[in-house]
């Protein structure tokens, strides 16, 4: 067990390797659940408990116990700790073989930071999180003080919210989004959600029916954690189809149109045989197809659709009764590629697909109720702007779509999600702090990281034949760069060797194949690198480590 002394005055947890105290606190101050955030590097020391080695993480230590406790609380922590295996594990001990690296980016005690005998520090190019240096704690602290000091603000903030969301935030967002895109945006076109993932789940619950909605068409490579959301909505294997990106960047619209026409010719009946239809009610409709993509700074490829391609996609969606869901979470994380340009010198952003759809007016034929639901929604989030723990976002679409989305059962039971955080964010936006934070902290920080990783890739990997997805145009953005490996190298082998030999975690391309339609678009020779999480000095070191792995593999295959 971890050495620990417990006295009436204080409790010490200390490292036997360094001899230093890790945590010291008074027992009577310990509530049932205490989370200590601790950043010291010496916490990487390992402690043996039976046959399981556990690692105290440098970011979070979770202690479970009460004022009267001994080391028994550590047993629960051990269950969640990583083993010495190079493969990730779930939050419970499992002695069975584990699959290759998959989703390990959303666990509190993170298997990515497993115990290691190497003296190298772990570098994580998989994690698509904002670096702690890009978070907004002081802004949120000031906004919460203002919010909780005024009963006219905190009383509605702490009550159940209206179904479409906290109205002051809808209004602030409308003003801010209109400035960003230079297009008209009204508050009734915005529905507040519990983040982009929860927003997608509610959209599928309200506007699709697996007995009527034929297929989900996903741009490939695809954000891999979207696939389980579609599966939960009833679109399992065979119901999600891959549509590859083309050389221009973004989904291949000609191919999509062809696939839709072919599918409609083969499936004349609108309803699956023997299936009972869901009741859409007076405020919603069910779409025949869904298209899912990230139209700006795509995850993982980093590509952005041109204006012309956006217009064509909207026209295709209207012809085939398609709902296009565009995850627009990276739109505001862009910067000029030209070295002399400041990060804030971007000008208006490309219009959202939902802007283009709205500008065209109601499509024909109209619904029997006379409502206009449109064919595109923009799925936005504050996660990449201020912090993912806020779990707050928005959907932009026609007023009728927004009204229908607000009538999702899970929303009506309690009102829109994240009511308190929505009120907090309204204060942040009202004070102009969101835009200031983006201009002064987030964009410059991401731009520096992107420049570093691109420069080091050129120096360390260019001569090995590694190429980066095209970054043409005057701007780039997002969190990721997408690499193509040379000479038929298998990205899974590269990822395994990087983890084993270099304490480096990268995301192999197979992760971004559309689940259930992997043959539709394969990425065995690709790797995604995230430059958002690690601090700048680790970015250059991580690319150098990847270069050593590739040189070693090239030598083995010659």
């Amino acid at each position: 067990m971890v050495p620990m002394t417990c006295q009436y005055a204080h409790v010490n947890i200390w490292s036997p390797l360094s001899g230093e105290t890790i945590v010291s606190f008074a027992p009577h101050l310990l509530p049932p659940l205490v989370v200590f955030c601790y950043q010291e590097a010496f916490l990487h020391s390992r402690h043996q408990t039976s046959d399981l080695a556990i690692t105290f993480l440098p970011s979070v230590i979770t202690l479970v116990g009460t004022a009267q406790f001994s080391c028994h609380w550590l047993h629960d922590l051990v269950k969640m700790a990583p083993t010495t295996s190079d493969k990730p594990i779930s939050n419970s001990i499992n002695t069975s073989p584990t699959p290759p690296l998959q989703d390990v980016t959303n666990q509190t005690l993170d298997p990515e930071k497993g115990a290691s005998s190497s003296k190298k520090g772990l570098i994580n190019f998989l994690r698509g999180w904002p670096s702690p240096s890009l978070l907004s704690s002081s802004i949120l602290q000031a906004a919460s003080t203002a919010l909780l000091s005024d009963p006219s603000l905190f009383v509605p903030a702490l009550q159940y919210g209206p179904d479409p969301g906290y109205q002051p935030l809808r209004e602030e967002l409308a003003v801010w989004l209109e400035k960003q895109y230079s297009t008209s945006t009204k508050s009734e076109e915005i529905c507040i959600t519990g983040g982009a993932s929860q927003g997608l789940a509610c959209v599928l619950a309200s506007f699709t029916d697996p007995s009527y909605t034929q297929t989900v068409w996903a741009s490939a490579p695809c954000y891999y954690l979207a696939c389980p959301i579609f599966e939960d909505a009833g679109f399992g294997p065979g119901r999600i189809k891959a549509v590859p990106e083309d050389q221009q960047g973004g989904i291949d619209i000609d191919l999509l149109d062809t696939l839709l026409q072919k599918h409609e010719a083969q499936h004349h009946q609108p309803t699956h045989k023997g299936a009972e239809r869901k009741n859409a009610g007076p405020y919603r409709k069910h779409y025949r197809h869904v298209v899912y993509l990230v139209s700006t700074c795509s995850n993982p490829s980093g590509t952005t659709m041109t204006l012309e391609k956006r217009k064509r996609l909207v026209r295709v969606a209207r012809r085939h009764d398609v709902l296009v869901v565009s995850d627009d979470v990276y739109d505001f994380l862009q910067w000029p590629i030209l070295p002399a340009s400041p990060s804030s010198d971007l000008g208006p952003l490309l219009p959202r697909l939902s802007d283009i759809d709205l500008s065209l007016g109601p499509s024909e034929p109209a619904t029997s109720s006379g409502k206009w639901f449109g064919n595109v929604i923009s799925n936005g989030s504050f996660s990449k702007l201020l912090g993912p723990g806020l779990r707050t976002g928005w959907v932009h679409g026609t007023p009728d779509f927004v009204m229908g989305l607000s009538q999702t059962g899970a929303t009506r039971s309690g009102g829109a999600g994240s009511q308190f955080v929505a009120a907090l964010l309204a204060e942040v936006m009202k004070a102009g702090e969101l835009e200031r934070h983006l201009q002064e902290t987030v964009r410059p920080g991401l731009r520096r990281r992107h420049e570093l990783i691109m420069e080091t890739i050129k120096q360390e990997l260019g001569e090995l034949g590694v190429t980066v997805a095209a970054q043409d145009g005057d701007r780039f953005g997002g969190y990721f760069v997408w690499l193509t490996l040379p000479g038929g190298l298998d990205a899974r082998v590269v990822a395994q060797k990087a983890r084993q030999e270099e304490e480096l975690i990268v995301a192999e391309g197979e992760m971004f194949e559309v689940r259930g339609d992997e043959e539709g678009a394969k990425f065995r020779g690709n790797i995604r690198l995230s430059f958002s999480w690690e601090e700048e000095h680790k970015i250059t070191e991580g690319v150098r480590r990847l270069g050593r792995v590739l040189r070693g593999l090239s030598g083995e295959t010659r």
Side-chain angles (χ1 to χ4, degrees):
M1 285 295 183
V2 173
M4 181 168 66
T5 62
C6 183
Q7 304 173 3
Y8 291 108
H10 63 277
V11 175
N12 291 330
I13 303 176
W14 51 276
S15 166
L17 299 186
S18 65
E20 299 185 57
T21 298
I22 296 175
V23 179
S24 180
F25 51 84
H28 71 277
L29 297 178
L30 189 69
L33 178 64
V34 180
V35 178
F36 289 91
C37 294
Y38 204 82
Q39 299 291 341
E40 299 302 325
F42 69 77
L43 293 183
H44 278 294
S45 58
R46 292 190 299 165
H47 309 278
Q48 199 72 25
T49 302
S50 66
D51 61 345
L52 185 67
I54 71 170
T55 300
F56 280 116
L57 308 183
S59 56
V60 177
I61 304 173
T62 303
L63 305 180
V64 181
T66 61
Q68 294 180 346
F69 68 98
S70 65
C71 291
H72 296 293
W73 60 265
L74 190 58
H75 181 69
D76 293 328
L77 182 59
V78 169
K79 289 182 179 179
M80 295 186 290
T83 68
T84 53
S85 169
D86 290 313
K87 299 178 180 179
I89 61 174
S90 66
N91 280 349
S92 60
I93 297 174
N94 185 352
T95 57
S96 61
T98 54
L101 184 63
Q102 295 179 3
D103 174 26
V104 292
T105 62
N106 59 350
Q107 302 180 30
T108 302
L109 291 174
D110 197 338
E112 295 173 9
K113 297 183 181 291
S116 169
S117 59
S118 172
K119 293 185 181 298
K120 294 179 181 177
L122 188 71
I123 295 178
N124 190 339
F125 280 164
L126 167 61
R127 175 170 277 177
W129 294 10
S131 164
S133 64
L134 302 179
L135 298 178
S136 54
S137 59
S138 61
I139 294 172
L140 296 173
Q141 184 178 35
S144 28
T145 299
L147 175 65
L148 293 172
S149 300
D150 186 345
S152 69
L153 296 175
F154 72 69
V155 170
L158 293 171
Q159 294 285 8
Y160 295 112
D163 295 344
Y166 187 65
Q167 184 61 24
L169 180 58
R170 297 174 76 197
E171 293 171 358
E172 290 293 336
L173 267 170
V175 172
W176 187 71
L177 292 170
E178 189 167 290
K179 290 179 180 177
Q180 301 299 312
Y181 294 105
S182 293
T183 56
S184 174
T185 303
K186 301 178 176 63
S187 64
E188 58 264 33
E189 298 168 354
I190 295 170
C191 184
I192 303 303
T193 67
S197 297
Q198 190 256 15
L200 175 59
C202 286
V203 165
L204 296 172
S206 282
F207 290 94
T208 67
D209 179 352
S211 70
Y212 176 79
T213 307
Q214 296 295 300
T215 307
V216 174
W217 306 91
S219 180
C222 175
Y223 169 52
Y224 65 105
L225 289 178
C227 293
I229 302 175
F230 292 119
E231 291 172 354
D232 287 349
F235 300 95
R239 302 290 299 277
I240 313 176
K241 297 292 186 181
V243 184
E245 293 183 352
D246 62 20
Q247 294 299 315
Q248 294 178 312
I251 192 168
D252 187 332
I253 297 172
D254 290 333
L255 176 59
L256 173 65
D257 195 14
T258 299
L259 291 171
L260 285 166
Q261 292 180 45
K262 182 178 179 181
H263 188 92
E264 291 298 327
Q266 294 174 345
H267 300 83
H268 299 291
Q269 296 299 321
T271 305
H272 286 275
K273 187 175 180 181
E276 184 176 345
R277 286 286 305 272
K278 287 167 57 176
N279 180 16
Y283 300 111
R284 296 174 286 189
K285 66 160 284 185
H286 295 142
Y287 289 84
R288 183 81 164 148
H289 299 274
V290 174
V291 167
Y292 172 78
L293 46 74
V294 183
S295 58
T296 300
C297 308
S298 180
N299 177 6
S301 69
T303 59
T304 294
M305 290 178 64
T306 64
L307 178 59
E308 178 57 33
K309 286 193 67 173
R310 292 170 190 242
K311 292 177 179 178
R312 290 176 56 210
L313 178 57
V314 172
R315 291 194 293 269
V316 169
R318 289 180 164 223
R319 284 200 299 271
H320 297 285
D321 189 23
V322 171
L323 174 63
V324 177
V325 179
S326 179
D327 263 353
D328 293 335
V329 298
Y330 302 106
D331 282 33
F332 315 109
L333 307 183
Q334 300 182 71
W335 51 87
I337 294 178
L338 299 175
S341 303
S343 296
S344 58
D345 186 18
L346 275 175
L349 302 176
L350 280 171
R352 293 162 291 187
L353 288 160
S354 56
D355 293 321
I356 297 170
D357 190 39
L358 280 163
S359 72
L360 296 176
S363 54
E364 297 295 338
T367 62
S368 58
S369 64
K371 296 184 182 300
W372 175 37
F373 295 102
N375 290 91
V376 184
I377 62 166
S378 171
N379 198 17
S381 175
F382 288 97
S383 292
K384 306 295 193 293
L385 310 183
L386 294 169
L390 296 170
R391 306 314 307 141
T392 305
W394 67 91
V395 162
H396 175 253
T398 71
D400 286 332
F401 190 99
V402 165
M403 177 60 185
L405 181 59
S406 75
Q407 299 306 294
T408 306
T411 298
R412 293 201 66 200
S413 177
S418 305
Q419 170 74 355
F420 178 79
V421 177
L424 181 67
L425 291 171
E427 295 303 304
V428 170
M429 297 191 75
K430 193 184 305 180
E433 291 296 332
L434 172 61
E435 185 61 30
R436 185 182 67 81
H437 182 62
L438 290 174
Q439 287 191 15
E440 297 181 4
T441 302
V442 178
R443 292 188 194 113
L446 290 173
R447 181 180 183 175
R448 287 194 304 271
R449 286 169 168 79
H450 175 248
E451 289 173 350
L452 272 174
I453 201 167
M454 290 300 294
E455 180 182 351
T456 316
I457 287 171
K458 181 179 179 181
Q459 293 173 353
E460 300 290 332
L461 309 183
E463 63 182 17
L464 300 175
V466 174
T467 58
V468 184
Q471 298 184 13
D472 300 327
D474 60 352
R475 65 183 70 183
F476 190 74
Y479 277 8
F480 311 107
V481 292
W482 185 242
L483 307 183
T484 299
L485 300 175
L489 283 176
D490 189 324
R492 179 184 291 186
V493 174
V494 173
Q496 290 173 345
K497 288 233 177 233
R499 183 66 180 91
Q500 293 166 358
E501 299 176 3
E502 293 288 350
E503 287 292 283
L504 174 68
I505 299 178
V506 298
E508 66 267 26
E510 286 182 73
M511 291 177 63
F512 308 98
E513 295 171 358
V514 174
R515 204 149 86 181
D517 190 25
E518 289 83 358
E519 296 301 317
K522 302 178 77 65
F523 304 101
R524 306 295 167 84
N526 295 99
I527 282 178
R528 188 196 75 175
L529 302 183
S530 169
F531 54 83
S532 63
W533 170 250
E534 294 289 4
E535 293 305 325
E536 295 173 23
H537 69 281
K538 288 191 173 182
I539 289 175
T540 53
E541 172 59 20
V543 175
R544 292 189 184 107
R545 293 184 189 183
L546 180 59
R548 289 197 291 268
V549 170
L550 294 177
R551 287 184 180 90
L553 287 170
S554 298
E556 291 174 8
T557 56
R558 277 199 293 265

